[in-house]
Amino acid sequence: MPRLHLHLLSDSTGETLEMLAKAALAQFEGAEVNRHFWPMVRSQQHLDRIMGEIGANPGLVFFTLANADIRVKLEERCRALGLPVVPVLDAAVAALEDALGQHPRARPGSQHAMDEAYFRRVDAIHYTIAHDDGIGWENWEEADIVLAGVSRSSKTPTSIYLANRGYKVANIPIVVESPPPPALFGLKHPLVVGLTTAPDRLVQVRRNRLLSLNQAPETSYVDPDRVAKEVQYARRMFADNGWPVIDVTRRSIEEAAAAIINLYNESRAAPAGMAE
């Protein structure tokens, strides 16, 4: 399969464009793609500099540009070079325009405006960082979601991902020798979710972690029998308290977070008393 140069041009941070490109490329296993990322393209002069690089590395061009003059110029110059150019959001915006009967506003980076949702996300990130690994249990009632699980069951990265989606998340390690604070079992507002994983996979993850820290890879922390008992102990706790459980053995962080968000939405949509 030949190597493809993929140029991503955005008039804002380019976060949306990168996610779309990543999702599309995931459908092509083994594809060799060299991505060139060009954010904050808001002037003709900037576009002129970029076109020199595109001409030197011809390939496919994806863009999200609100300014009509700049996008027309980009399309013209790409056609002159014989390069395919794709306005990746146009179909979605056109469909919304028809459905809403409203013209879109051509404002660069408008999806990143510092609105209420932005500040809610920042607040969620601050809360989540301050309540990692069992810290600040006195404030867990303020959380939207509390994640519980044994060590190395992806609690922290999942929490941070959810925080970036606007959810206040606390997480706590389940340790056989050190039971959680009683506050965990009396929470009313947060959705408590248990994270679990296959013991053999957990042993591998823990061993890799120890090696990365230059620590002895053979300790009770990675003993298969001990790890299996830890997982069993956590599962029993989840079941005894009626907490939903997500198995992260074969799930990416994004997939686990999506499953948790679904559980959260369902719990909030349920009539009072039904989510117990």
Side-chain angles (χ1 to χ4, degrees), residues 128 147 154-164 167 169-171:
T128 300
L147 301 181
S154 303
K155 297 184 301 299
T156 295
T158 305
S159 295
I160 296 299
Y161 184 92
L162 288 166
N164 276 282
Y167 298 92
V169 185
N171 75 74

Side-chain angles (χ1 to χ4, degrees), residues 150-221:
V150 299
S151 175
R152 312 312 300 176
S153 56
S154 303
K155 297 184 301 299
T156 295
T158 305
S159 295
I160 296 299
Y161 184 92
L162 288 166
N164 276 282
R165 298 290 300 273
Y167 298 92
K168 290 183 177 180
V169 185
N171 75 74
I172 179 167
I174 302 300
V175 182
V176 176
E177 298 81 6
S178 179
L184 177 64
F185 307 104
L187 295 174
K188 301 298 183 184
H189 173 261
L191 172 69
V192 181
V193 178
L195 300 184
T196 190
T197 187
D200 56 344
R201 172 61 175 160
L202 187 56
V203 169
Q204 179 184 352
V205 171
R206 288 183 175 185
R207 186 170 285 126
N208 289 341
R209 175 63 173 168
L210 291 176
L211 289 171
S212 72
L213 297 174
N214 293 320
Q215 296 182 10
E218 298 301 333
T219 68
S220 60
Y221 186 60

Side-chain angles (χ1 to χ4, degrees), residues 128 130-138 140 146-147 155-156 170-174 180-181:
T128 300
H131 294 82
D132 182 43
D133 203 33
I135 297 174
W137 60 265
E138 304 91 344
W140 282 352
V146 174
L147 301 181
K155 297 184 301 299
T156 295
N171 75 74
I172 179 167
I174 302 300

Side-chain angles (χ1 to χ4, degrees), residues 60-82:
L60 179 60
V61 180
F62 285 0
F63 73 86
T64 53
L65 299 171
N67 184 284
D69 293 336
I70 294 177
R71 63 180 287 158
V72 166
K73 184 60 68 174
L74 171 65
E75 290 171 330
E76 289 177 347
R77 297 187 66 171
C78 285
R79 280 197 297 270
L81 292 171

Side-chain angles (χ1 to χ4, degrees), residues 9-61:
L9 282 75
S10 172
D11 51 23
S12 186
T13 63
E15 180 182 351
T16 301
L17 185 57
E18 277 199 299
M19 287 192 298
L20 287 169
K22 182 179 179 181
L25 286 170
Q27 304 300 315
F28 300 90
E29 186 175 355
E32 293 189 37
V33 179
N34 189 6
R35 278 181 280 185
H36 305 265
F37 183 47
W38 311 103
M40 308 302 291
V41 183
R42 296 184 176 181
S43 70
Q44 185 65 57
Q45 292 77 11
H46 193 180
L47 179 62
D48 288 341
R49 293 195 298 272
I50 293 169
M51 289 308 304
E53 295 291 334
I54 293 177
N57 299 284
L60 179 60
V61 180

